[in-house]
Amino acid sequence: HGIKSSETAKRRLQVFSTFSVTFSFKIMRVLVSLAILVAAARAFSPATTTTPQQQYVSNTALHAMDRRQVVIGGMSAASFAALLSNTPAVALAEELPNGVVYTIDKKGTGPAPDKGELAAIRFKASTEDGKVIDDIFETPEPYYTRVGLGGMLPGVEGALPYMKLGDRWTLTIPPELAFGAKGRPASAGKPRIPGNSKIIFEVEMVGLPGKEVELIELIGDE
């Protein structure tokens, strides 16, 4: 009976030791992964002053990345860092007071239009599933509209006063500021727009005739 108890105790000790080693290894991997993520984030953040201790921690994490090739989600740490370095910056979405969500795809350096001012724009309008409603980016002439006077969809009218000459934005327009609950029936060359559809509207402000220096000077000389 004493021999059996001794063997049982040994087996329990072996199981406990194996569990402890496995658990400790998992904890170590989690800690190393966190250290690598912190180091990667610091590597791609603006330069800041670091203490020798902070630099040591960062270097240690990068050393672990290089020596152990810790795998994060099936990808080695080196591959993960390379992916971060090659990933382009993503435009952040913001929201206008009227509820239209927009991203700035290109920033212009010109002036903003005044209400009622004539503006030349190019645009592409699509439904949320990618069906093109209209596209005049490649037409010979842009589209001219009086800003804020109702010539465009309400969601577009609310965005134009915030744009500058040279800006290109992508708008996500809610149904109530687009074609509403009724939508729009199909017509020649134009697809049907179902009711309550969000509209994706890419728009670029390409001209403000009233603020163009050459035109103002020409009128002033007459």
Side-chain angles (χ1 to χ4, degrees), residues 164-189:
K164 294 181 178 180
L165 182 60
D167 275 0
R168 178 165 175 164
W169 290 14
T170 297
L171 313 175
T172 301
I173 306 175
E176 62 272 18
L177 295 176
F179 296 96
K182 293 183 178 180
R184 190 187 72 177
S187 57

Side-chain angles (χ1 to χ4, degrees), residues 40-88:
R42 286 178 177 172
F44 295 101
S45 63
T48 55
T49 303
T50 58
T51 65
Q53 291 83 358
Q54 290 172 328
Q55 188 63 45
Y56 173 78
V57 172
S58 178
N59 290 341
T60 302
L62 291 174
H63 181 67
M65 182 193 302
D66 182 61
R67 287 288 303 277
R68 300 193 56 175
Q69 291 290 288
V70 179
V71 174
I72 303 174
M75 181 185 297
S76 71
S79 299
F80 180 71
L83 177 64
L84 285 178
S85 65
N86 293 323
T87 301

